[in-house]
Amino acid sequence: MKPIGRTLIKKSYDTGVYIHIPFCLRKCLYCDFYSVIDTGLIERYVAALAESILEKGEFSSGKRVDTVYFGGGTPSLMEVAQFERILDCLKKVFDISKDAEITAEVNPATVDDEKLYGMRSIGINRLSIGMQSADDGELSVLGRLHRHFDTVKTFNDARKSGFDNISLDLMYALPEHTEEKWRRSYTEAAQLSPEHISFYALTLSDECALSKKNYFYPEDEVQLKMYESAIAYLRDLGYNQYEISNLSKEGYHSRHNMKYWSLADYIGFGTSAHSLENGRRYYIKDDIFSFIMGEYDEITEDICTEDDMISEKIMLSLRTTDGLVFDELDLICSDRKKLTALKEELVRKVEPFIESGHAVADDIGIRLTEKGFFISNGIICELLP
């Protein structure tokens, strides 16, 4: 097989920590993540988080952690002192590395320069700002509270507060979306020059409010053009694509998200949080009241067999531009005969996608092309053992 060019992102196998903050001022119309509107519960929830983190110390004390991620919901609804309380508890339990990446998701409608300065002063060093669109009409249709002016102001305030690692999150294939509107969004985002940009096609569940409205959505062919145009534009500006929907300037990939895609350990705290620790997957159910009362259990997911982990490794790796590196399967399976057979099977199955221009392969491994990324789910299903 012909060698394929790849620049491997160095993977960290230290543990990551995810903190779920399930509060929102209002539910976005496309969202089906677990969240609650009662912000009056935040202080009690933070107290429960602190207790759960300290309890975890009985089992995970001293583990080295190099990423912390506050996700939601809307973490930026918390006060700086509440962020600090959680971080202090993490420091008591874990060995937080000096260069740890500590990220907080931010809704532009929920922060000001004073809060951003406070967040930076307590050690949060990366922001993920939910821009979504540069078009105020689209933001209104999505049920977002902010407008594009708020995004720009939040970004500039963050820069003044000392943040030098900022991600902007965008969405395409929105209701009544056109290529022209999408172009405006990603060019406006790029003009701010963030270190990282993510963009995802809008996917609606049957339960979310937006799915019940009668909007027109772009056809697959138009969505592909949207995807390719954004990648090409950002690449010309020096952004490197390292995952299907994520691009960054050199050295600014999301270290935390790479843990998910490389099957490194991560520990989740809070209602609805999921974890992968020492080969065990577990989660805390979606019930804020049981969490606050301390009446919850870590629910173990179905036991992952070696075959399950191999399939997951293939699936997650092929989302990245590095692709699947055959040698990394050694970390899961030590049976050389089985690994050889698996490699041969993968090479055989990927041939049609190589011929169609959706994948490339060599003796090191397999990766999808930009064209292949857009239909990655179908390709991955075909390649799984």
Side-chain angles (χ1 to χ4, degrees):
M1 290 181 287
K2 183 179 179 181
I4 55 177
R6 55 158 65 83
T7 302
L8 296 177
I9 290 176
K10 183 179 179 181
K11 299 179 177 67
S12 168
Y13 293 99
D14 289 335
T15 301
V17 167
Y18 174 79
I19 308 290
H20 190 64
I21 308 299
F23 299 95
C24 292
L25 292 177
R26 184 175 71 193
K27 190 84 169 176
C28 294
L29 300 182
Y30 57 87
C31 182
D32 63 354
F33 290 131
Y34 178 71
S35 62
V36 295
I37 309 301
D38 188 356
T39 56
L41 293 172
I42 291 180
E43 181 58 33
R44 291 174 63 192
Y45 183 77
V46 170
L49 270 174
E51 185 175 345
S52 69
I53 292 169
L54 295 176
E55 287 179 354
K56 191 70 175 179
E58 299 177 18
F59 309 98
S60 303
S61 181
K63 272 196 173 185
R64 186 169 176 82
V65 165
D66 66 348
T67 67
V68 177
Y69 194 101
F70 291 90
T74 310
S76 50
L77 286 173
M78 290 198 301
E79 299 298 330
V80 172
Q82 292 167 332
F83 277 110
E84 187 171 29
R85 182 176 180 183
I86 295 169
L87 287 173
D88 285 345
C89 288
L90 291 175
K91 291 172 185 176
K92 291 177 181 177
V93 170
F94 300 106
D95 176 15
I96 308 292
S97 62
K98 292 182 179 179
D99 66 342
E101 174 193 270
I102 303 178
T103 304
E105 291 181 350
V106 169
N107 183 317
T110 62
V111 290
D112 55 22
D113 54 353
E114 182 179 356
K115 180 180 284 190
L116 288 167
Y117 181 82
M119 290 168 66
R120 185 67 189 92
S121 69
I122 63 170
I124 295 172
N125 54 28
R126 183 176 184 272
L127 296 181
S128 179
I129 301 175
M131 173 179 171
Q132 312 310 353
S133 172
D135 185 283
D136 287 350
E138 290 175 352
L139 292 171
S140 179
V141 167
L142 294 173
R144 300 289 293 182
L145 288 171
H146 77 282
R147 295 297 176 257
H148 185 54
F149 171 84
D150 301 312
T151 297
V152 175
K153 183 179 186 304
T154 295
F155 187 94
N156 291 332
D157 286 345
R159 284 288 196 235
K160 293 174 185 176
S161 299
F163 284 97
D164 57 6
N165 190 355
I166 302 176
S167 176
L168 291 178
D169 296 338
L170 300 170
M171 300 174 70
Y172 68 102
L174 304 178
E176 315 295 338
H177 217 187
T178 64
E179 292 179 68
E180 291 73 23
K181 286 183 177 180
W182 171 231
R183 187 177 301 110
R184 182 197 166 197
S185 285
Y186 65 71
T187 55
E188 291 273 353
Q191 284 179 13
L192 292 171
S193 194
E195 285 67 38
H196 188 281
I197 295 178
S198 299
F199 58 86
Y200 298 89
L202 176 65
T203 302
L204 301 177
S205 70
D206 292 337
E207 291 74 28
C208 72
L210 196 57
S211 67
K212 298 174 174 60
K213 297 180 180 291
N214 189 26
Y215 285 113
F216 163 80
Y217 292 90
E219 299 290 338
D220 287 348
E221 294 78 8
V222 176
Q223 290 190 37
L224 176 57
K225 290 180 181 179
M226 289 178 166
Y227 179 82
E228 291 177 334
S229 67
I231 295 291
Y233 181 84
L234 295 170
R235 186 178 289 145
D236 286 345
L237 293 178
Y239 288 90
N240 302 309
Q241 184 183 19
Y242 68 97
E243 194 268 348
I244 290 177
S245 301
N246 289 271
L247 301 94
S248 71
K249 294 180 179 179
E250 188 68 32
Y252 286 96
H253 61 277
S254 171
R255 288 159 52 192
H256 184 81
N257 285 344
M258 281 303 300
K259 294 190 183 299
Y260 302 141
W261 300 320
S262 60
L263 287 181
D265 279 6
Y266 55 91
I267 301 175
F269 293 99
T271 182
S272 190
H274 287 246
S275 304
L276 172 61
E277 188 178 12
N278 300 323
R280 173 185 169 234
R281 288 195 178 280
Y282 58 92
Y283 65 95
I284 299 170
K285 67 180 180 179
D286 301 348
D287 185 343
I288 190 171
F289 295 104
S290 66
F291 184 80
I292 287 175
M293 298 300 293
E295 299 171 353
Y296 67 92
D297 294 310
E298 293 177 348
I299 303 171
T300 300
E301 298 184 29
D302 292 339
I303 296 174
C304 291
T305 65
E306 183 176 279
D307 288 342
D308 290 335
M309 295 298 285
I310 288 173
S311 293
E312 193 163 3
K313 179 66 177 177
I314 294 170
M315 177 184 68
L316 294 171
S317 296
L318 288 176
R319 289 188 57 89
T320 70
T321 52
D322 287 347
L324 174 67
V325 177
F326 291 138
D327 285 351
E328 292 187 353
L329 293 172
D330 292 352
L331 300 174
I332 303 171
C333 177
S334 58
D335 185 333
R336 303 306 303 176
K337 186 175 180 180
K338 181 177 179 178
L339 282 172
T340 299
L342 174 61
K343 175 182 174 181
E344 292 173 350
E345 180 185 18
L346 286 168
V347 169
R348 175 179 57 79
K349 286 182 175 180
V350 81
E351 282 297 334
F353 299 108
I354 294 175
E355 294 175 5
S356 63
H358 290 94
V360 289
D362 60 12
D363 291 336
I364 295 174
I366 298 167
R367 67 175 174 85
L368 302 185
T369 62
E370 185 177 304
K371 181 180 176 182
F373 274 153
F374 191 72
I375 59 168
S376 59
N377 289 343
I379 297 175
I380 290 169
C381 285
E382 291 293 327
L383 295 183
L384 291 177

